Amino acid sequence: MPTAGRLAGAIIFALFGWYIAGLSIPFFPESNAPTYWVPIAAVVGLVVGWKVCGGRAGRGYNPAIGIGLTCSFVIGFCMLFVVAFNQMFTNAMRLQYDGAMDALVNIFQQMLEFSVLFYDIPFIATLVIGGVVCAWVTEFFGQRFP
């Protein structure tokens, strides 16, 4: 059921995903992010804002802190998964795997390798603080317009 909290969460987290994607481009090798990086981050933020944060809006500002942290983690995890899946697919087309299970396991190995690239304290702080602020904005609209 669409609510103002879901709509606000979708919009604010889509913008947050777009912003985080733009901040993370320099962390890629040679600052060469995939072409799909920014649009997919915005779509992931939209879905996370609608489903995770918007569905829980209206419970108060203290629970919104945990919800914002959860949303930040989910956005980060999903974006790492998307990049790792794309890399696995590229490797699979080059016939670098012995089977399907080897390719699936390699997704998580690729996620670990990409996560090391994004290990930067200001970037992680932006991800955490931004998620909480976005959840508070969603909470504001969820309480005002149930």
Side-chain angles (χ1 to χ4, degrees):
M1 173 106 174
T3 61
R6 285 184 185 260
L7 180 64
I11 291 170
I12 195 76
F13 275 100
L15 292 172
F16 181 62
W18 174 77
Y19 178 71
I20 288 298
L23 282 180
S24 63
I25 288 174
F27 299 123
F28 281 95
E30 299 178 8
S31 295
N32 189 14
T35 56
Y36 59 84
W37 182 248
V38 176
I40 292 294
V43 169
V44 167
L46 182 113
V47 171
V48 168
W50 181 271
K51 290 282 191 183
V52 178
C53 191
R56 299 177 184 172
R59 297 183 182 178
Y61 287 98
N62 286 338
I65 295 171
I67 294 167
L69 294 174
T70 301
C71 289
S72 293
F73 176 77
V74 170
I75 289 172
F77 182 84
C78 288
M79 290 311 299
L80 285 174
F81 184 81
V82 165
V83 170
F85 184 83
N86 184 46
Q87 185 65 40
M88 180 276 302
F89 192 75
T90 302
N91 291 344
M93 292 296 113
R94 294 178 184 157
L95 301 175
Q96 293 182 354
Y97 301 119
D98 293 331
M101 188 54 89
D102 189 28
L104 289 176
V105 169
N106 188 260
I107 291 175
F108 296 101
Q109 292 171 347
Q110 292 288 335
M111 285 176 69
L112 281 173
E113 291 176 14
F114 278 113
S115 68
V116 172
L117 295 176
F118 297 114
Y119 181 72
D120 184 51
I121 299 300
F123 178 72
I124 294 171
T126 302
L127 191 64
V128 169
I129 294 169
V132 171
V133 169
C134 290
W136 280 343
V137 170
T138 303
E139 182 64 30
F140 173 80
F141 285 103
Q143 285 183 353
R144 299 300 183 276
F145 308 104

